[in-house]
Amino acid sequence: MKRRILFICSGNSARSLIAEALLRHYGGEFFEVVSAGTDPTPVDVRAIRALQRFGIPIKGLYSKSLQEVSDQDFDLVITLCNKSHREYVPDAGHGKLISWDFEDPASRHCFRPFYTTVLELSTRIKLFVLVYTKAAKAA
């Protein structure tokens, strides 16, 4: 049975969409993944371009509100910014909460901020999948 994961960020325009796409790509056989925003805004095309540059499928990615997923059950909820961590109010059926604070690529001051964010989230998610699959095999 696949574990259900919800990624939350304030806008659901970049970080949480990137995380959703990456976990589907690297752990799709183990996880069902959704993302949502506490105050959703349109998808940032730079996030989509960065994912495409890495060859990560983007099919089905769109910005959604927490209300759109509030009636769904999740094993794990992962917030990706401090703002969403403060604003998120767990719904019944939403499991354990983890907070990963990643800098907003739209306001980040570095070379290729969206590309860098994909790299950073990719590293974290690959490790997450590795740990989960080892624990699942041991159980």
Side-chain angles (χ1 to χ4, degrees):
M1 187 167 130
K2 290 185 179 185
R3 307 288 275 172
R4 300 210 65 231
I5 309 295
L6 171 62
F7 286 107
I8 300 174
C9 205
S10 53
N12 192 224
S13 62
R15 289 168 284 190
S16 50
L17 290 173
I18 290 169
E20 177 183 352
L22 288 168
L23 186 54
R24 279 188 186 150
H25 182 70
Y26 294 120
E29 63 191 272
F30 303 103
F31 303 101
E32 286 183 36
V33 190
V34 177
S35 68
T38 56
D39 186 22
T41 58
V43 174
D44 193 316
V45 69
R46 296 171 294 181
I48 299 301
R49 283 190 206 125
L51 285 166
Q52 289 174 320
R53 189 171 184 159
F54 278 94
I56 305 297
I58 59 165
K59 184 178 179 190
L61 289 181
Y62 68 98
S63 183
K64 9 184 196 320
S65 70
L66 279 173
Q67 288 75 26
E68 289 181 58
V69 300
S70 64
D71 62 340
Q72 298 178 39
D73 291 339
F74 296 97
D75 298 297
L76 182 63
V77 176
I78 302 173
T79 58
L80 294 170
C81 65
N82 284 332
K83 185 175 189 286
S84 65
H85 186 72
R86 287 189 310 272
E87 294 174 346
Y88 169 66
V89 178
D91 284 309
H94 287 197
K96 184 177 179 179
L97 175 64
I98 296 176
S99 178
W100 294 350
D101 187 31
F102 281 85
E103 192 173 350
D104 184 357
S107 60
R108 197 170 186 173
H109 300 290
C110 68
F111 182 66
R112 300 188 305 192
F114 286 83
Y115 183 84
T116 300
T117 299
V118 171
L119 280 174
E120 291 172 349
L121 277 166
S122 179
T123 300
R124 177 80 55 99
I125 286 171
K126 286 177 183 177
L127 182 59
F128 176 80
V129 170
L130 177 68
V131 168
Y132 174 80
T133 56
K134 282 192 173 203
K137 289 176 184 174

